[in-house]
Amino acid sequence: MKLKKQTRIAVIITTLIFCMMFGNVTALANDHVPYDTYNYDYRDYIVHTPAAYVPDHSISGVSFGMKAFNNPQDLCIAPDGLVYIADTNNNKIVVLNDTMTKLVRVITEFNNNGTTDHFNRPYGIAISKKNELYIADSENKRIVVLNSEDQLIKIVDNPQSDVLEAGYVFTPLKVTVDYADRIFCIAKGMTEGIMVFDSDGQFTSFFGTIKVEITLWEKFWRRLSTKKERSRQSLFIPTEFTGIDIDEKGFIFASNIDNAGEQAVRRLNPSGEDVIKKGVKKNVGGDLRTGGMNSYAGPSKIVDVVYRNNGIYSILDSRRGRIFTYDYEGNLLYIFGGLGSQAGTFVAPVAIESSNNMILVLDSTRAEILVFQATEYGTLINDAVALRFDGDESLAVEKWEQVLKLDENFEIANVGIGKAYLSKGDNKLAMKYLKLGMSREYYSIAYKRYRNEILKQNLSFLLTGIVVILAGTMITKSIIRKRKNIVDNTDGGGLE
């Protein structure tokens, strides 16, 4: 009997250890795609979901009769829909049509004041609203700006400023440009922030520097360490940015490596202040459960970000090959993607873009663009978020209800419906959906409003009741007092 009890205890302990090591999976994985599609519930447990995006096809240089791409590092989509690819080690820019079915042209050289000039490892590219092409020509230590006919507009190189170290060598990696033609550049080895150049190409300032935060324990431990021990410890230097994009208001989205797994993307206002919202989980760093020994262990390594309109943005993780998509409030909408050798998986994802219902990911080792198409599930979520972003709550509710038919456990859909009813003033229904969505914050708001509503509706009855009680109390006291006086007078008369 004692042995059986010990066996049961051993089984329970083994089960608990297994759960701690391999996470809490509450549904089966999606079998139709070669990667995980999941999200996190209110307890931060992994919940598998329908696929928001599925692999559609891939594009390589060979697809257009060219030499294969060689270590391509960036891609972008112009306002006219053309797709630009930085074919880095082939020293050229490849331009495809808007459906990526035809080669438009290949840019290998340009006229630089009468001399034919070439690129040397073009690493990052961007297109302005004027359809001007900005190329981070990394090994030539410059940014080249060309017009739509590939004619040189200007070259930005050798930045000069008192804030730059003496002998600083400018090596641009990623670049973007705003409506005022200001250039924002991520440069190699630059930890002070994103470098900003005015429309004339003059360096003006750093932008969005990530502050280093050192815990009290780390300060205490370094104080006790010897000089030799301190030299072996990691240096507390600001993190470099890895990817950059810009939204319709001119705010900069910038990704970075965050070893804490908490914030790997920032939204920088014109003053360089981070104004990104982090949702209820206070996290925009990719995977949440970074502990243990499972396939989700360790913080995500975010290498690029794309802004996708209506407040939606996606970040690309090179550690596990996953794409995380957030709404404008910082809520994690869906996760998909993975590393591997199968079609639709990555080896070394380096850049991400979006076009209509497609997400494009550039893989430098495969030398391909992998194209993912939104499913009905992904489209409904995108549409619902867009409608709420535009203030059309009633239509958003319809979309969220359709999402729930495909995934009844999707908490954000319930919260979305709850918020819509809250805005509409239907607090009782709002409470129902916000409870299903496990939103304590908004449920409390709905509950308080519903309680006040009930009190207001029944105020006249309450006041009438209070008046009746008070009047009854006074009458009762008066009767008791009168009876007491009669008794006292009667007793007094007897004594006389």
Side-chain angles (χ1 to χ4, degrees):
M1 192 69 182
K2 187 177 179 180
L3 183 63
K4 287 184 177 179
K5 185 177 179 182
Q6 289 176 339
T7 303
R8 284 200 300 272
I9 293 172
V11 169
I12 291 170
I13 292 173
T14 304
T15 305
L16 287 173
I17 291 173
F18 183 86
C19 289
M20 291 173 66
M21 291 177 64
F22 297 99
N24 295 268
V25 179
T26 57
L28 294 176
N30 194 309
D31 294 330
H32 305 294
V33 290
Y35 43 69
D36 285 347
T37 59
Y38 61 98
N39 208 326
Y40 292 89
D41 69 8
Y42 74 102
R43 297 166 299 179
D44 294 348
Y45 288 167
I46 290 168
V47 181
H48 286 277
T49 67
Y53 281 78
V54 294
D56 191 70
H57 63 284
S58 62
I59 296 167
S60 67
V62 179
S63 308
F64 302 99
M66 296 186 301
K67 184 179 174 184
F69 297 146
N70 188 351
N71 191 31
Q73 289 294 324
D74 202 7
L75 79 166
C76 69
I77 298 177
D80 59 8
L82 295 183
V83 179
Y84 290 71
I85 304 155
D87 191 1
T88 304
N89 283 9
N90 281 333
N91 299 317
K92 62 186 181 184
I93 307 299
V94 177
V95 187
L96 307 179
N97 69 344
D98 56 351
T99 56
M100 293 179 290
T101 53
K102 291 182 180 177
L103 176 66
V104 176
R105 67 185 188 277
V106 177
I107 309 171
T108 58
E109 60 186 31
F110 58 93
N111 187 319
N112 184 359
N113 295 319
T115 304
T116 301
D117 206 341
H118 298 84
F119 305 114
N120 188 359
R121 301 199 76 234
Y123 206 92
I125 49 176
I127 299 284
S128 73
K129 289 187 180 298
K130 298 176 183 175
N131 238 17
E132 295 172 346
L133 175 61
Y134 289 69
I135 305 161
D137 192 11
S138 65
E139 290 306 313
N140 279 331
K141 317 297 181 187
R142 63 186 183 181
I143 298 171
V144 177
V145 185
L146 305 177
N147 65 16
S148 58
E149 296 176 347
D150 303 338
Q151 296 171 332
L152 180 65
I153 297 175
K154 62 190 170 194
I155 288 178
V156 178
D157 61 355
N158 193 25
Q160 299 294 317
S161 173
D162 293 338
V163 299
L164 296 173
E165 293 182 3
Y168 170 69
V169 177
F170 178 54
T171 307
L173 296 179
K174 294 291 180 75
V175 65
T176 193
V177 57
D178 70 5
Y179 57 89
D181 290 337
R182 288 194 305 169
I183 304 169
F184 299 84
C185 175
I186 298 173
K188 184 178 181 181
M190 179 52 71
T191 58
E192 297 298 320
I194 297 168
M195 300 181 76
V196 183
F197 299 83
D198 63 20
S199 57
D200 294 325
Q202 299 299 313
F203 173 71
T204 57
S205 62
F206 289 110
F207 187 78
T209 304
I210 301 174
K211 295 179 181 177
V212 178
E213 295 182 1
I214 305 175
T215 65
L216 286 174
W217 171 252
E218 288 168 337
K219 288 180 181 176
F220 174 73
W221 185 246
R222 285 180 71 83
R223 189 172 288 275
L224 294 180
S225 303
T226 63
K227 188 175 180 180
K228 187 176 180 181
E229 288 171 333
R230 283 199 296 273
S231 68
R232 291 199 297 266
Q233 294 172 5
S234 58
L235 296 175
F236 295 105
I237 57 177
T239 304
E240 294 179 53
F241 288 104
T242 55
I244 193 169
D245 203 0
I246 191 165
D247 69 14
E248 66 270 356
K249 293 182 179 178
F251 285 46
I252 300 294
F253 277 82
S255 60
N256 60 275
I257 305 298
D258 179 24
N259 292 326
E262 296 174 355
Q263 183 174 5
V265 61
R266 284 163 167 74
R267 182 174 183 249
L268 305 169
N269 67 13
S271 300
E273 298 167 342
D274 180 23
V275 294
I276 201 163
K277 295 182 178 179
K278 299 180 183 176
V280 294
K281 298 185 183 302
K282 307 298 180 189
N283 184 301
V284 284
D287 274 315
L288 299 180
R289 293 178 68 88
T290 57
M293 298 170 61
N294 57 23
S295 59
Y296 305 91
S300 302
K301 185 178 180 181
I302 304 303
V303 293
D304 201 14
V305 56
V306 58
Y307 178 73
R308 296 170 47 193
N309 295 325
N310 302 310
I312 299 174
Y313 59 94
S314 297
I315 56 177
L316 177 64
D317 168 33
S318 67
R319 188 183 300 277
R320 286 179 280 271
R322 287 171 185 153
I323 296 160
F324 301 84
T325 297
Y326 299 85
D327 67 10
Y328 58 97
E329 293 178 309
N331 297 308
L332 189 49
L333 299 175
Y334 43 79
I335 306 167
F336 71 94
L339 300 178
S341 56
Q342 291 177 269
T345 59
F346 313 119
V347 176
V350 293
I352 184 169
E353 256 293 355
S354 71
S355 175
N356 298 322
N357 275 338
M358 295 186 295
I359 287 181
L360 319 178
V361 176
L362 182 64
D363 190 313
S364 62
T365 300
R366 281 180 179 270
E368 289 180 339
I369 298 173
L370 285 83
V371 181
F372 297 86
Q373 187 73 39
T375 62
E376 180 187 6
Y377 178 70
T379 301
L380 285 170
I381 294 174
N382 294 340
D383 289 348
V385 172
L387 287 166
R388 176 162 168 74
F389 186 76
D390 291 336
D392 197 338
E393 300 282 6
S394 57
L395 274 179
V397 168
E398 291 180 17
K399 297 290 183 182
W400 284 129
E401 287 174 342
Q402 293 178 58
V403 171
L404 288 175
K405 289 178 182 176
L406 300 175
D407 180 10
E408 62 181 3
N409 297 317
F410 192 48
E411 292 171 357
I412 294 175
N414 282 309
V415 174
I417 296 173
K419 285 181 178 178
Y421 281 122
L422 192 62
S423 301
K424 197 177 175 182
D426 193 336
N427 299 312
K428 189 175 181 180
L429 263 181
M431 286 168 58
K432 173 188 170 184
Y433 283 98
L434 292 169
K435 186 176 182 180
L436 290 171
M438 306 304 293
S439 174
R440 290 185 180 180
E441 179 186 357
Y442 284 95
Y443 179 84
S444 297
I445 295 171
Y447 174 76
K448 287 177 183 174
R449 289 184 184 178
Y450 182 66
R451 182 190 60 193
N452 294 338
E453 187 181 310
I454 295 298
L455 287 173
K456 190 176 179 181
Q457 287 174 357
N458 297 284
L459 186 61
S460 59
F461 297 106
L462 287 172
L463 290 175
T464 303
I466 291 170
V467 169
V468 169
I469 291 171
L470 288 174
T473 303
M474 292 173 65
I475 292 169
T476 304
K477 284 183 177 179
S478 175
I479 293 172
I480 292 172
R481 194 179 300 116
K482 284 180 180 178
R483 286 184 177 178
K484 188 177 179 183
N485 289 337
I486 292 170
V487 171
D488 290 344
N489 292 336
T490 304
D491 292 344
L495 287 172
E496 288 176 359

